[in-house]
Amino acid sequence: MEMKKRINLELRNRAPEEVTELVLDNCLCVNGEIEGLNDTFKKLEFLSMANVELSSLARLPSLNKLRKLELSDNIISGGLEVLAEKCPNLTYLNLSGNKIKDLSTVEALQNLKNLKSLDLFNCEITNLEDYRESIFELLQQITYLDGFDQEDNEAPDSEEEDDEDGDEDDEEEEEDEAGPPEEYEEEEEEEEDEDEDEDEAGSELGEGEEEVGLSYLMKEEIQNVLLPNSEKCVMDFYSQTEYLVFKDEEDDDDYVEEGEEEEEEEEEGLRGEKRKRDAEDDGDEEDD
């Protein structure tokens, strides 16, 4: 697919001024030049044209917001001075796998003042003696060459670089704020207020519950549980006592009545004997 058609496909019904990233890898570059890319892509920050048989950057449009440019695996051998003119804010440039042979070609990158990372891997220039030392000396603004700094420390991932470069202002604002977003704070405050109201209501209810519980224990449980049992015990005691007293009285009455009857029987017997004796005495007297 030709580059121009590929650009139209990548737009996906978007206006060029709305696009911030554009990937045109592996498409066909006619005559080794850029086609279909113009100044209307004014918000473009990332552009990738890897392996498109690009040999010239002469038709590169002005992309003032472009920060990352991928040009790996092409046939570029010079003309890098266009980059400083058209893309002055570049921080990352990948020229690996191109036809760059000497330091004079790379010297044109000195005008890219914001350039931090440069990749020349698989270019013929990497075969030069003291290649790394020479590049770092020539381009003193860069921090990483072919993914490593001068002390052989590996560069962070490109995504991390994006976060670091793109979020510097956000980090400063976050440091000033030193806290969560306002909406989150408001939600937290509302939740805290609700919790406080619930705690107050709960504390009031708790006090009431304690009073109710005390009165319940004093009045309800003791009266309804202990007192009835106690009353029952007392009633049982009194009922049993009354029964015993009543039984004793009945027994006493029975004893008295039985004793009186015996006495009466004895008296009647004595009276009968006395009458019998008197009758016998009277009969003896009559015989005399």
Side-chain angles (χ1 to χ4, degrees):
M1 182 183 294
E2 294 182 1
M3 181 177 290
K4 190 173 182 180
K5 293 181 179 179
R6 177 67 177 275
I7 291 173
N8 292 331
L9 181 62
E10 291 293 327
L11 286 175
R12 299 174 185 174
N13 297 323
R14 294 176 297 171
E17 56 270 18
E18 298 175 354
V19 178
T20 58
E21 295 185 5
L22 190 59
V23 178
L24 306 174
D25 298 347
N26 304 314
C27 65
L28 180 61
C29 183
V30 180
N31 298 323
E33 294 183 346
I34 298 172
E35 292 181 337
L37 200 61
N38 52 52
D39 296 343
T40 58
F41 291 86
K42 54 186 178 181
K43 290 186 178 180
L44 198 61
E45 297 180 4
F46 175 78
L47 175 61
S48 182
M49 295 185 289
N51 191 30
V52 296
E53 299 184 1
L54 185 65
S55 60
S56 173
L57 298 174
R59 299 183 65 177
L60 183 67
S62 296
L63 303 170
N64 291 327
K65 291 196 173 183
L66 193 68
R67 296 172 56 244
K68 289 190 172 186
L69 181 59
E70 286 274 358
L71 297 173
S72 60
D73 300 321
N74 285 294
I75 50 177
I76 299 171
S77 59
L80 300 181
E81 60 275 359
V82 176
L83 294 174
E85 180 184 350
K86 303 293 185 178
C87 310
N89 293 310
L90 275 182
T91 60
Y92 174 85
L93 177 61
N94 188 351
L95 291 169
S96 62
N98 279 277
K99 303 297 182 180
I100 299 172
K101 299 179 181 180
D102 48 44
L103 293 173
S104 60
T105 304
V106 178
E107 188 175 358
L109 300 177
Q110 287 178 336
N111 294 325
L112 288 171
K113 303 301 182 181
N114 295 319
L115 189 64
K116 300 299 179 184
S117 180
L118 175 64
D119 197 339
L120 297 172
F121 185 71
N122 271 347
C123 292
E124 293 185 27
I125 192 174
T126 59
N127 297 324
L128 296 177
E129 187 176 357
D130 299 329
Y131 152 71
R132 289 181 59 81
E133 290 80 359
S134 300
I135 295 295
F136 277 118
E137 184 177 354
L138 182 65
L139 305 175
Q140 296 184 7
Q141 78 272 31
I142 68 171
T143 303
Y144 300 101
L145 176 62
D146 301 334
F148 294 88
D149 63 11
Q150 296 187 62
E151 298 177 354
D152 291 332
N153 295 317
E154 190 173 1
D157 294 337
S158 58
E159 293 182 357
E160 293 179 1
E161 288 180 359
D162 287 343
D163 295 337
E164 290 177 0
D165 297 335
D167 296 340
E168 286 179 357
D169 296 336
D170 296 337
E171 288 177 358
E172 290 177 359
E173 292 178 359
E174 289 177 359
E175 288 177 359
D176 293 336
E177 293 175 358
E182 293 180 358
E183 295 180 358
Y184 182 72
E185 289 180 352
E186 291 177 358
E187 291 178 359
E188 279 192 343
E189 289 177 357
E190 291 177 358
E191 291 178 357
E192 289 177 357
D193 294 337
E194 291 177 359
D195 293 338
E196 288 177 358
D197 294 337
E198 290 177 359
D199 293 338
E200 290 176 359
S203 62
E204 293 176 359
L205 182 59
E207 293 175 358
E209 285 177 353
E210 288 178 0
E211 294 176 359
V212 171
L214 182 59
S215 63
Y216 177 75
L217 288 174
M218 292 296 295
K219 297 178 181 178
E220 300 295 335
E221 288 192 14
I222 293 176
Q223 292 178 2
N224 295 335
V225 178
L226 298 178
L227 290 179
N229 292 335
S230 300
E231 289 177 0
K232 184 177 180 182
C233 293
V234 172
M235 293 298 294
D236 291 342
F237 174 76
Y238 280 117
S239 63
Q240 291 177 3
T241 305
E242 290 176 357
Y243 175 76
L244 293 174
V245 171
F246 180 73
K247 289 291 289 182
D248 290 338
E249 290 177 354
E250 286 183 349
D251 294 339
D252 292 340
D253 294 340
D254 293 340
Y255 178 76
V256 171
E257 291 175 358
E258 291 177 357
E260 290 177 353
E261 290 178 355
E262 290 178 356
E263 288 179 356
E264 290 177 357
E265 290 178 355
E266 290 178 358
E267 289 178 356
E268 290 178 356
L270 291 174
R271 291 191 190 105
E273 290 180 357
K274 187 176 180 182
R275 291 191 194 100
K276 186 177 181 182
R277 288 174 185 170
D278 292 337
E280 290 178 353
D281 292 335
D282 292 338
D284 292 336
E285 289 178 355
E286 290 177 358
D287 292 335
D288 292 336

